[in-house]
Amino acid sequence: MESYERPGESSVRPVPRHEIRALHTADTLTVYQAYRPSLGVPAARDGRFPEAWGRGRMTWVKPSFLWMMYRCGWGTKEGQETVLAVEIAREGFLWALRNATLSHYERGVHGDRAEWQRSLRRAPARVQWDPERDLHARPLEHRSLQLGLSGEASRRYADEWIVGIRDVTPLAREVHGLVRDGELDAARALLPVERPYEVPADALAGLLPVPHVPEGAA
């Protein structure tokens, strides 16, 4: 099991393979997305997504800043030049988890593939666990939660759950510049402080892959 030091702290803790980590308060948590400026700039300015933001489509939110940086190339990829930190209500995030299914078939979680496909068609949200990333975008052993929202979940996210939206593109560029210059301690000090985010056990029921024991293992 990996260990890591949280930004601004000296203690080192082991990191479970599957754990939700986020910048959060008593009432909210922050997720990240990246958009073209024509969507991202007005969203940050107005604190809500514009009408051009498709409320019926699937949208993915990520509590991990570094995973978002990996996905959008620090805000350099076409169509992902504006990086947003979207603060949402805890109740909304919890609702999404309780109405989600895994984005892939998992033996031991689903009875069979047909059962999984039925749950995927019904669920307005889906969860996948991808390798967390370090400052160099290299994959780590522990996983980061990605939450996909569609239908009712997407509409609730856009119109009910959002508390605030910040444009963190300048932060992404500053951290990236420090990484390029080899100033890793300075870059790490600027990262959002993402701490373990505890949710009721039932909210993750069916959303955690079952560890596979190698054949012949005791």
Side-chain angles (χ1 to χ4, degrees):
M1 183 179 291
E2 288 186 86
S3 298
Y4 82 111
E5 184 174 332
R6 303 173 189 168
E9 299 183 8
S10 58
S11 60
V12 176
R13 63 181 283 275
V15 184
R17 184 170 175 81
H18 297 92
E19 176 187 60
I20 302 174
R21 295 172 300 277
L23 174 65
H24 58 86
T25 70
D27 302 309
T28 67
L29 83 158
T30 297
V31 295
Y32 298 93
Q33 296 191 286
Y35 291 100
R36 62 184 185 274
S38 61
L39 281 177
V41 171
R45 180 192 65 219
D46 301 333
R48 68 188 305 274
F49 289 113
E51 290 303 317
W53 191 88
R55 283 156 172 76
R57 67 181 181 86
M58 172 72 71
T59 188
W60 288 87
V61 302
K62 305 156 186 67
S64 167
F65 179 80
L66 282 179
W67 205 96
M68 185 71 255
M69 296 305 98
Y70 158 71
R71 179 67 178 83
C72 71
W74 300 93
T76 63
K77 291 185 179 179
E78 184 177 359
Q80 301 184 62
E81 299 92 344
T82 304
V83 185
L84 301 178
V86 185
E87 190 176 11
I88 63 174
R90 280 180 176 242
E91 291 84 354
F93 187 78
L94 191 58
W95 184 94
L97 290 179
R98 284 180 165 146
N99 288 276
T101 190
L102 279 174
S103 63
H104 65 280
Y105 169 71
E106 182 75 19
R107 184 164 53 91
V109 173
H110 308 107
D112 53 33
R113 288 187 180 274
E115 177 191 308
W116 166 69
Q117 289 171 343
R118 286 193 297 270
S119 70
L120 201 62
R121 287 193 294 269
R122 292 193 304 265
R126 59 190 62 178
V127 162
Q128 65 186 46
W129 299 89
D130 296 313
E132 183 59 281
R133 301 286 164 161
D134 66 10
L135 283 167
H136 296 288
R138 296 175 299 205
L140 301 174
E141 287 297 320
H142 57 280
R143 302 283 167 146
S144 177
L145 179 137
Q146 320 301 325
L147 182 61
L149 307 171
S150 65
E152 181 182 2
S154 180
R155 291 189 295 272
R156 284 176 177 244
Y157 168 65
D159 298 326
E160 299 177 18
W161 301 344
I162 293 176
V163 175
I165 302 178
R166 292 180 293 114
D167 184 344
V168 292
T169 311
L171 173 63
R173 291 173 178 164
E174 184 176 4
V175 175
H176 189 205
L178 290 169
V179 172
R180 288 198 308 266
D181 293 341
E183 301 288 341
L184 299 187
D185 287 342
R188 196 172 291 112
L190 294 178
L191 295 177
V193 180
E194 295 166 1
R195 295 188 172 92
Y197 180 78
E198 301 295 336
V199 298
D202 69 288
L204 290 178
L207 300 178
L208 292 171
V210 176
H212 296 295
V213 179
E215 191 173 338

